[in-house]
């Protein structure tokens, strides 16, 4: 408990007090004898209240004044006396509380309740609307104040029982009868407007109190239950020491009048604040923030709230942080000072929650207060570098967390850091931060990048201790800010080498990653054992890292040539985009056995058309065939297939210059033909290979585009070539004998594809005209037909013009 109020006796009257009400510095006392007294009460900080009788009227009523209510904005006092509600003027310019008006229909009234609604306009003017509910046995009347008079608001409401207590808040009326409490929505009928709540207490009068936050407080035995105007019941009740006789709400305190004392409690949290021993109190009235009047039969006390500046330290010592925040909110300090005080209280509350192992709640408050993340992380030992941790100061000694508590603490920290990370990574977050210190005067981190670095590095450490499956996803984030050396140290210490490779890759420290993979490849117990991870890593590197790829692919190729080749042939965009010429050059120098598989993949799988690679593959095939002494028939078939490819993507002259002159004649013939040297190609087919059929096939393929291949064929059949016609290649000593029959046969089949005059000139003089008759007849007819066709076309063109 702490001292929230100080009680001072104001009055001791020779009269019996029946009712009291107050507003501001004015206190009204109604007596059993019918006297009405008005006092002015001045309360100065640090001094006892000063009270002065402003006016009185001992003839105000012939009977007890049962109830009073004041509306200072209209300078009116509403009184229930002699069974009628009357309105009196309390303006200081008049005396004796003159009657303004009486509510004639209220005769027989047992109690009333006012609803005073104050609304501010955009210009700052406050409009006050006053409504009144009057209880007459089992009926209720409704009025509104206008032009110095109460007017009927709606029709009377009939009830099943007599209300003993009524309070009006907003558009809802709460009433308590001898049997139960209920709510009534103003403006609705009896059937649809009344909502029954719950029974009243045993053998007690029901009491309804309207709280300052517009809730209703309902007394049942020695408990008070709270309900909203919409009927939402709060299941948690405030327990009093005994049945309360009266109650008022002076935020954040509930002040209840008991038989021999006044009890002060709060509903959130539900704690006893203070007990004031007063002789037989029975009435209470709240005059405004921090001032409450308590009355017995003939005594009146003033309860004044202890200044916030004194209450808050008491509450902090008692660790009543939530209440301290509420109390701080009601003080009259400037907005800046109030915010600063509340921030300090909430920070201490969050720290206390942490010390009591309420980690989740603590982290939520730290996040809301925007406490510097490094200060929050420092609550856990071992997460910050020692030199940084030593600079931090906390309100009290930090708890030592172990086992399950440590794990729970780290899980709450992870949630906090993840939320903070998302906040700082938001595009709207400024680059310069303004976090709050956990303890005033301690340096905070204002750089967003540095804050993110501490957050991500701490997240990494937390994951390593709680759930290492989350380490890799964190390190894969392109925007992770983990401190390089610190992350390296912890990952190595935890033997998380796979995750360390991921970290290096994200940071583009590819050499470090590849060196680590290489070092662990020969360790059988390492998760990086073998070469497969290196292969995968190299395959994912972009072309601008080609030198690094080539450097670290060497040991893989030496260990497994087949897997090493996939570094350059895998069906991936990054692999396909590598500079192929550079790869070929490197393979020729470092791994010749992979050159042919690599070139075959380029040409046959990826459809490479660059002449460099086709030329290279042809020469590689040639070398293999020569090294195998012409026994490698498979490679020879591959070579011929590549040479016959249509269209060709190699340079025949460049390749031919590197072919041997004493072998691979068929391949030479193809290259000669591709180079446009058809006569030399036919010499190879006819006089070196001695294969007329191949020569005929060659001519059939190459006869288009005006190439005189058949003419060359006929000439070579009847006149053997000399050495000068086939440079570099030695003709056999015995070439094919002149074969007039074969030449004539070619002429008969393909006479239309040769020029008649040169062919006749090349034939020997001994050639029989009879033997040539068929060819000559066909050739002459063809020439005559062609000449006739030309003449016909010319004639048609002439007639057209």
């Amino acid at each position: 408990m702490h001292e929230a109020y100080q009680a001072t006796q104001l009055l001791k009257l020779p009269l019996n007090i029946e009712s009291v009400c107050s507003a501001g510095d004015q206190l009204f006392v109604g007596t059993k004898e019918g006297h009405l007294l008005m006092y002015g009460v001045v309360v100065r900080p640090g001094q006892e209240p000063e009270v002065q009788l402003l006016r009185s009227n001992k003839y105000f009523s012939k009977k007890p004044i049962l109830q009073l209510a004041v509306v200072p904005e209209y300078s009116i006092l509403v009184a229930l006396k002699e069974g009628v509600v009357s309105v009196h003027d309390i303006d200081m310019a008049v005396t004796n509380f003159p009657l303004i008006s009486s509510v004639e229909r209220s005769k027989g009234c047992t109690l009333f309740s006012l609803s005073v609604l104050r609304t501010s306009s955009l210009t700052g003017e406050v409009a006050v609307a006053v409504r009144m509910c009057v209880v007459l046995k089992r009926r209720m009347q409704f009025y509104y104040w206008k032009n110095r008079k109460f007017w009927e608001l709606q029709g009377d409401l009939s009830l099943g029982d007599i209300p003993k207590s009524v309070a009006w808040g907003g558009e809802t009326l709460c009433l308590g009868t001898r049997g139960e409490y209920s709510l009534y929505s103003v403006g609705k009928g009896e059937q649809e407007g009344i909502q029954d709540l719950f029974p009243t207490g045993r053998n007690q009068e029901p009491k309804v109190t309207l709280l300052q936050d517009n809730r209703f407080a309902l007394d049942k035995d020695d408990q008070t239950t709270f309900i909203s105007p919409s009927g939402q019941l709060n299941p948690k009740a405030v327990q009093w020491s005994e049945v309360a006789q009266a109650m008022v709400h002076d935020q954040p305190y509930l002040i209840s009048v008991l038989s021999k004392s006044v009890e002060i409690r709060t509903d959130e949290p539900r704690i006893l604040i203070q007990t004031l021993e007063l002789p037989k109190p029975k009435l209470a009235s709240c005059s405004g923030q921090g001032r409450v009047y308590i009355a017995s039969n003939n005594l009146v006390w003033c309860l004044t709230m202890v200044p916030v500046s004194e209450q808050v330290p008491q509450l902090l010592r008692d660790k009543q942080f939530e209440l301290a925040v509420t109390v701080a909110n009601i003080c009259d300090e400037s907005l800046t000072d109030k915010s600063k005080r509340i921030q300090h209280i909430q920070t201490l509350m969050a720290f206390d929650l942490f010390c009591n192992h309420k980690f989740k709640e603590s982290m939520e408050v730290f996040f809301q207060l925007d406490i510097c993340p490094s200060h929050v992380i420092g609550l856990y030992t071992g997460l910050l570098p020692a030199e940084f941790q030593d600079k931090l100061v906390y309100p009290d000694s930090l708890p030592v967390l172990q086992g399950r508590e440590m794990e729970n603490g780290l899980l709450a920290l992870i949630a906090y850091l993840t939320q903070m990370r998302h906040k700082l990574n938001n595009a709207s977050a400024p680059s310069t931060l303004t976090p709050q210190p956990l303890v005033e005067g301690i340096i905070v981190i204002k750089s967003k990048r540095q804050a993110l670095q501490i957050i991500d590095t701490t997240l990494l450490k937390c994951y390593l201790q709680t759930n290492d499956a989350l380490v890799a996803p964190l390190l894969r984030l392109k925007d992770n800010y983990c401190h390089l050396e610190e992350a390296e140290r912890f990952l190595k210490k935890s033997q998380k080498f796979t995750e360390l490779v991921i970290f290096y890759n994200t940071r583009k420290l590819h050499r470090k990653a590849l060196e680590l993979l290489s070092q662990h490849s020969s360790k059988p117990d390492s998760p990086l054992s073998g070469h497969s991870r290196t292969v995968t890593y190299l395959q994912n590197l972009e072309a601008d890292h080609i030198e690094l790829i080539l450097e670290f692919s060497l040991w893989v190729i030496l260990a497994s040539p087949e897997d090493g080749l996939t570094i350059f042939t895998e069906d991936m965009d990054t692999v396909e985009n590598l500079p192929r010429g550079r790869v070929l050059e490197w393979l020729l120098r470092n791994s010749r056995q992979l050159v042919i598989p690599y070139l075959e993949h380029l040409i046959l799988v990826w459809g490479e058309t660059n002449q460099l690679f086709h030329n290279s593959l042809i020469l590689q095939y040639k070398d293999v065939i020569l090294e195998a002494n012409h026994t490698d028939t498979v490679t020879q078939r591959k070579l011929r297939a590549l040479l016959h490819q249509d269209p060709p993507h190699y340079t025949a002259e460049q390749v031919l210059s590197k072919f041997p002159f004493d072998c691979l004649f068929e391949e030479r013939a193809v290259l000669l033909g591709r180079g446009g040297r058809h006569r030399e190609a036919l010499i190879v087919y006819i006089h070196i290979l001695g294969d007329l059929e191949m020569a005929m096939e060659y001519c059939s393929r190459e006869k288009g585009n005006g190439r005189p291949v058949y003419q060359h064929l006929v000439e070579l059949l009847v006149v053997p070539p000399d050495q000068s016609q086939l440079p570099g290649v030695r003709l056999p000593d015995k070439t094919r004998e002149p074969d007039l029959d074969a030449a004539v046969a070619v002429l008969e089949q393909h006479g239309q594809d040769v020029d008649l005059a040169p062919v006749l000139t090349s034939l020997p003089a001994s050639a029989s005209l009879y033997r040539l008759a068929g060819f000559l007849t066909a050739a002459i007819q063809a020439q005559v037909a062609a000449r006739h066709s030309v003449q016909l076309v010319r004639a048609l063109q002439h007639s057209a013009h």
Side-chain angles (χ1 to χ4, degrees), residues 5 34 140 276 326 599 638 694:
Y5 289 88
M140 289 198 302
L276 296 169
T326 307
L599 290 170
K638 290 181 179 179
M694 289 181 68

Side-chain angles (χ1 to χ4, degrees), residues 271-317:
I271 56 174
L272 174 62
I273 300 299
Q274 188 179 5
T275 300
L276 296 169
E277 300 292 337
L278 300 176
K280 297 182 180 180
K282 66 175 185 178
L283 302 173
S285 173
C286 185
S287 179
Q289 185 65 58
R291 189 187 304 186
V292 175
Y293 296 104
I294 305 294
S296 66
N297 275 337
N298 63 340
L299 298 176
V300 177
W301 295 270
C302 179
L303 305 188
T304 53
M305 188 180 290
V306 173
V308 170
S309 58
E310 296 178 24
Q311 283 197 66
V312 168
Q314 292 183 57
L315 291 169
L316 294 182
R317 283 193 294 272

Side-chain angles (χ1 to χ4, degrees), residues 196-233:
D196 294 335
L197 299 175
F198 55 84
T200 55
R202 300 184 303 271
N203 301 319
Q204 76 172 88
E205 289 286 314
K207 280 185 287 299
V208 181
T209 305
L210 178 66
L211 304 185
Q212 291 176 346
D213 55 10
N214 228 31
R215 291 178 299 157
F216 296 109
L218 313 180
D219 287 357
K220 182 177 181 181
D221 299 327
D222 58 353
Q223 294 183 337
T224 296
T225 303
F226 305 95
I227 191 166
S228 70
S230 63
Q232 186 174 358
L233 183 68

Side-chain angles (χ1 to χ4, degrees), residues 8-180:
T8 305
Q9 182 178 316
L10 284 182
L11 302 170
K12 184 175 181 179
L13 301 177
L15 304 167
N16 292 309
I17 300 173
E18 188 72 23
S19 58
V20 294
C21 72
S22 59
D25 291 337
Q26 295 177 340
L27 170 64
F28 298 86
V29 178
T31 69
K32 191 174 184 179
E33 293 80 6
H35 295 200
L36 178 63
L37 308 172
M38 177 180 177
Y39 294 92
V41 182
V42 178
V43 178
R44 293 184 176 88
Q47 299 180 19
E48 289 193 357
E50 299 175 5
V51 60
Q52 179 184 3
L53 180 63
L54 299 179
R55 68 180 68 175
S56 66
N57 185 349
K58 62 182 180 179
Y59 304 112
F60 188 76
S61 174
K62 297 177 182 179
K63 294 182 179 181
I65 304 171
L66 299 179
Q67 190 177 351
L68 294 172
V70 61
V71 184
E73 289 87 352
Y74 290 123
S75 296
I76 59 173
L77 179 72
V78 183
L80 173 57
K81 58 176 184 170
E82 302 172 13
V84 177
V85 175
S86 57
V87 184
H88 299 265
D89 195 339
I90 59 172
D91 192 285
M92 294 304 294
V94 299
T95 59
N96 294 329
F97 314 106
L99 177 68
I100 298 175
S101 62
S102 292
V103 181
E104 298 300 334
R105 291 188 62 238
S106 68
K107 190 171 183 62
C109 170
T110 54
L111 63 100
F112 68 87
S113 177
L114 292 188
S115 166
V116 182
L117 298 177
R118 296 173 175 89
T119 55
S120 298
S121 66
L122 294 176
T123 60
E125 296 179 357
V126 178
V128 180
V130 180
R131 294 176 294 178
M132 180 174 64
C133 167
V134 174
V135 176
L136 295 91
K137 295 186 178 180
R138 297 189 180 185
R139 283 187 302 121
M140 289 198 302
Q141 300 172 350
F142 298 89
Y143 299 91
Y144 68 95
W145 179 257
K146 185 178 181 182
N147 296 331
R148 309 284 282 175
K149 182 179 179 180
F150 275 112
W151 302 82
E152 288 190 30
L153 178 67
Q154 64 177 60
D156 294 359
L157 181 69
S158 299
L159 302 171
D161 203 349
I162 300 174
K164 299 293 183 179
S165 181
V166 176
W168 191 343
E171 299 303 317
T172 304
L173 204 71
C174 185
L175 52 142
T177 63
R178 192 175 297 278
E180 65 182 350

Side-chain angles (χ1 to χ4, degrees), residues 142 154-159 183-195:
F142 298 89
Q154 64 177 60
D156 294 359
L157 181 69
S158 299
L159 302 171
L183 292 178
Y184 170 65
S185 296
V186 178
K188 294 186 178 180
E190 178 182 345
Q191 298 298 323
E192 69 273 17
I194 295 181
Q195 173 189 350

